Amino acid sequence: MKIGLPEKLSKPVIALGGDLKCQPVYAAGDTAEVLPEIGDLASPDNQDALEDLVDRYEPELVVCDKHPGYFSTTLAERLAAERGLGLVKVQHHRAHVAAVAMEHGLFHEPIVGLAFDGTGYGDDAVAWGGEFFSGSVASGLARRAHMAPLPLPGGDVAVRAPWRIALATLIERGADDETINAWLESRGVQLRDVELFKTGLARKLAVGRSTSVGRWFDAVAALLGVRTEVEFEAQGAIELQQLAEANAYDVQSGDWPYAISEEEPRVVDFPAFVDIASRPAGDAPRLAYAFHVACAAAAAETAKRLADETGAKHVLVSGGVFFNRLLDGLLAERVGAHGLAYTKPIQLMPGDTAIALGQVGLVLAGTET
């Protein structure tokens, strides 16, 4: 697949994308060529395949994600050192938004960009994934809002056992012992020592934080008892979506409230987390749908505020969360109701396979160098 660039590159570029769904892009002149998908770079075979693919080209600049632990980042650093190439590292979520802008010819246009996924390395070394940007690819994308950060006790362990995210959030938000113990029992969570868990959380022992919408969906799935442990990526979010789709209730705005702060950057939060922990299990289908509605409404309202401040007419969305067709549809409806154009990937998928094209766009703009 070839995509025309809005301006000519000064030198040929190879962009390596991300690690989980690696799909590089080679760009020269005014054309970007999307290369075959490599896949998850945790696989040694896929690592070899990426190196073999890169060896077929003669770039003068290599571009990668900012994540220091990615194989693609390590490879880019090595290629730059061995071949004397220029090296640029691009923030993951800006690349998501830039990819959509490049596809739709919105390189110079003022936009609001939403990048919702499971994780990505942020500018502040926090795991981002619920990000709102405004500006343009050409002039720079400023992070203007984000989802409230959730605790990740145990780091990746919490991703595989999202009950840990839900429990830590309940504790941080002031749930009493009766609420916590009743929730643990009703959800079938086996935890031998709640006090030890609390102590580790208070001392921040191996506790990361994430603004990811994917982690919010994981936490809500665990909170409602839909899925407290997962066997594959996004399992909790998928099952929460399926439950919501099967029970599309006429929910009210107060069924799952949200809040948007006024400080910069704005923080989008769902403050009823503790109250919802006490709801009976039979409410889970309604609440699953209510959370989708709340998430869409909060994102659309935040996007509208940013658009009003900047004059943007387009809301660009990307990231793996937009494989959730229910959230995608609810958000599109609300963004449209605000008089804004809802713009998402068409030629490329919303997930990480689009990252490399966005990396090229940001290098072309020179805003990430």
Side-chain angles (χ1 to χ4, degrees):
M1 180 194 309
K2 293 186 177 181
I3 295 176
L5 301 178
E7 300 173 3
K8 283 190 175 182
L9 287 161
S10 60
K11 59 186 68 175
V13 173
I14 188 107
L16 303 186
D19 260 29
L20 294 179
K21 300 172 182 68
C22 176
Q23 186 162 15
V25 166
Y26 178 76
D30 60 1
T31 303
E33 181 183 1
V34 181
L35 304 178
E37 182 176 353
I38 301 294
D40 188 349
L41 294 182
S43 160
D45 288 342
N46 288 346
Q47 293 175 6
D48 291 342
L50 177 60
E51 293 199 54
D52 290 343
L53 184 64
V54 171
D55 284 342
R56 301 175 197 170
Y57 296 89
E58 296 183 359
E60 295 179 28
L61 179 71
V62 60
V63 193
C64 64
D65 195 278
K66 282 187 174 180
H67 196 301
Y70 276 2
F71 171 80
S72 53
T73 303
T74 302
L75 176 60
E77 292 170 342
R78 177 160 59 81
L79 289 171
E82 291 177 353
R83 299 189 190 180
L85 307 178
L87 173 65
V88 175
K89 297 180 180 180
V90 171
Q91 201 281 319
H92 187 91
H93 299 97
R94 287 188 181 87
H96 263 304
V97 173
V100 185
M102 297 293 286
E103 180 182 341
H104 290 276
L106 297 172
F107 182 76
H108 294 284
E109 293 293 320
I111 57 95
V112 174
L114 279 56
F116 292 176
D117 61 6
T119 188
Y121 194 76
D123 291 338
D124 54 4
V126 170
W128 288 6
E131 314 310 313
F132 298 77
F133 300 95
S134 68
S136 72
V137 177
S139 63
L141 296 169
R143 185 196 191 212
R144 299 289 306 284
H146 59 81
M147 292 295 177
L150 291 172
L152 302 180
D156 288 344
V157 174
V159 177
R160 296 189 296 272
W163 65 263
R164 299 174 66 91
I165 307 174
L167 176 58
T169 304
L170 288 172
I171 293 168
E172 286 192 348
R173 297 188 175 208
D176 58 30
D177 289 344
E178 182 179 356
T179 298
I180 290 171
N181 291 330
W183 178 80
L184 288 168
E185 182 177 356
S186 66
R187 303 306 184 243
V189 175
Q190 302 296 318
L191 181 61
R192 284 182 291 183
D193 194 333
V194 177
E195 292 305 316
L196 183 62
F197 186 95
K198 287 182 179 180
T199 299
L201 188 64
R203 294 180 179 177
K204 297 180 171 57
L205 300 177
V207 179
R209 303 196 78 80
S210 176
T211 61
S212 163
V213 175
R215 298 292 82 81
W216 266 101
F217 270 84
D218 287 344
V220 169
L223 184 71
L224 300 181
V226 175
R227 172 61 60 176
T228 56
E229 297 189 5
V230 303
E231 298 174 0
F232 55 85
E233 181 186 4
Q235 183 179 10
I238 291 168
E239 293 181 4
L240 189 72
Q241 174 193 338
Q242 292 171 338
L243 182 64
E245 287 176 326
N247 299 274
Y249 294 96
D250 181 20
V251 300
Q252 304 301 311
S253 59
D255 287 343
W256 202 305
Y258 64 86
I260 305 169
S261 71
E262 292 299 329
E263 73 268 15
E264 185 80 20
R266 291 178 170 91
V267 177
V268 181
D269 197 10
F270 304 96
F273 205 84
V274 174
D275 293 338
I276 288 170
S278 301
R279 303 282 184 89
D283 282 357
R286 179 183 182 85
L287 290 169
Y289 191 78
F291 181 72
H292 280 77
V293 171
C295 191
E301 183 176 334
T302 304
K304 175 64 164 59
R305 293 188 191 185
L306 297 179
D308 286 346
E309 293 168 1
T310 60
K313 303 298 182 185
H314 297 268
V315 176
L316 278 55
V317 302
S318 189
V321 167
F322 291 102
F323 285 113
N324 183 325
R325 58 183 176 269
L326 175 58
L327 179 66
D328 181 39
L330 289 168
L331 182 56
E333 178 183 342
R334 282 155 178 78
V335 167
H338 287 311
L340 299 168
Y342 186 78
T343 308
K344 61 182 184 178
I346 296 175
Q347 293 177 276
L348 294 171
M349 303 295 280
D352 282 4
T353 52
I355 289 291
L357 178 62
Q359 291 174 344
V360 170
L362 291 166
V363 165
L364 183 62
T367 55
E368 289 280 300
T369 56

